[in-house]
Amino acid sequence: MAGADLNRPTMRILHLSDALHPPVTGGTEVFIDRLLAAQVRLPQPLQPLWAAHADPGTEAVAADPGAGRLLLPPVPSADRCRRLAMEAGALPGFTALLDGFMPQVLHLHSWSERCGLSHVQAARARGIRVVMTVHAPGFTCLQGSLRFRRRQACDGRIDDRRCTDCRLVNGGVPAPLAALVALQNGWPLGPDSPGRLAHLLTARPLTAAFRRGWQRLLPEVAAFHVLARWSAEVLRRNGVPQERLHLVRSAGPAPLPPAPRSPRRTGPLRLVWWGRCAEVKGVHLLVEAIRGLPPHLPLQLDLWGPGWHSPYGRRLQRRLAGDPRVRHRGCLPPEALLPRLAGYDLGLLPSLWPETGPLTLLEAFAAGLPVAGSDLGGIAELITDHGGGVLLPPTPQAWRAFLAAIARGERPLPAPAGPLERTVDTLARELLPLYGP
């Protein structure tokens, strides 16, 4: 805290999320990790602490206050309606933390029973200001991706009938049946009635519980921090007043030293995707696009990141078997990522949901890597505003045609953009007004 104003009282900020970094290394966790490091460097004296509840079944509780991290005991589950309203069965360790640490601000980074309405109510009962950063579409979307029936972009407005229909289709219920079930409330059955049929027929009351939980949250949050314009629009549609919405863009890693990019060699087009292997990231879209190309086209796609042992990841690996053009390369340590990215011709970001950052695009900017990305959400906003890439519809056909044209030399590679003139220290300074006077 070099240069801190020692005459000002220290502001204590409690960050709460679903998981800590490490061991979890997703975009939300990396964001909080870097933000905490920047907050202790600010001239204003801040004392941040990051807490999360352990996974269910975890016995050991690890605490490292010196590193600013605390793992709390697991949260016991409540009944189905309370879980969907993001209420916990109890808050083991959390209320004691509030009373011992005595934060002026509770900063939420997730929306779940492990980081949700019960935690907010406990903080507000003690007069603690609450700030929420919206990191992903799932804050207002029960099935998590803002893709209606997993096929088209959704406006994000919570609606009992429509959201129930979508959630059931996402769970494998045929669309005509889902539409009928979404019209009724399951009477005389209740949400906790046993059996699969009861769970199906009471899907709408659970959606209503999710909506009510969100509505109960709204008056308790002093400031909503959004990372993209589309996210602010979704929150407005769900009742958040404009004066409590604050767009503060994320910040990427420190850029590599400027270096001229070598022109594409005569070998294959070097393509790269990196991140978490999940359906919403659109990896299968790239696989289908490349498998539909003639085998003689000179290209090579490398895939980096975790998540390949999930059912989705295993299906992709089976699909990739025997095709040497697409390789899963494992995971990279953070310090090796940017130098590795800089060695490729083009980064591919085919997300199917509206990203808020995303961190991957900020990493591409920092590495001087041009990108092709889906024309959705934060990817579209950043490339439109900053350059450095081309936007494509999130369909295999569009990506197949684009990659074929690049590989044949019929279309030039997009020019890279420079890194964003934005650091995590800037981000930390811009968030200070949200914490109050």
Side-chain angles (χ1 to χ4, degrees), residues 264 267 269 297-299 401-413:
R264 181 188 164 196
L269 177 66
L297 276 183
L299 55 81
F402 170 77
L403 294 176
I406 293 285
R408 293 183 179 122
E410 299 167 355
R411 178 170 181 168
L413 285 165

Side-chain angles (χ1 to χ4, degrees), residues 249-284:
R249 294 277 188 190
S250 190
L256 294 177
R261 288 189 62 82
S262 58
R264 181 188 164 196
R265 299 192 296 261
T266 55
L269 177 66
R270 299 163 298 173
L271 305 170
V272 62
W273 174 92
W274 67 107
R276 173 174 54 92
C277 181
E279 182 179 355
V280 292
K281 299 296 183 178
V283 194
H284 60 283

Side-chain angles (χ1 to χ4, degrees), residues 126-174:
R126 291 161 172 81
I128 298 169
R129 182 180 177 91
V130 176
V131 172
M132 173 180 273
T133 293
V134 178
H135 288 275
F139 282 61
T140 58
C141 175
L142 264 173
Q143 57 97 344
S145 71
L146 283 186
R147 295 171 60 219
F148 181 65
R149 291 184 170 181
R150 301 174 69 179
R151 291 201 309 262
Q152 64 190 60
C154 177
D155 64 9
R157 182 177 56 84
I158 303 172
D159 176 86
D160 290 2
R161 183 197 60 77
R162 182 178 64 166
C163 295
T164 301
D165 176 329
C166 177
R167 185 164 58 89
L168 290 174
V169 171
N170 190 62
V173 176

Side-chain angles (χ1 to χ4, degrees), residues 222-241:
F224 287 88
H225 167 215
V226 294
L227 299 158
R229 291 190 294 269
W230 73 263
S231 187
E233 292 294 334
V234 168
L235 294 191
R236 270 193 288 268
R237 294 186 190 110
N238 285 291
V240 178

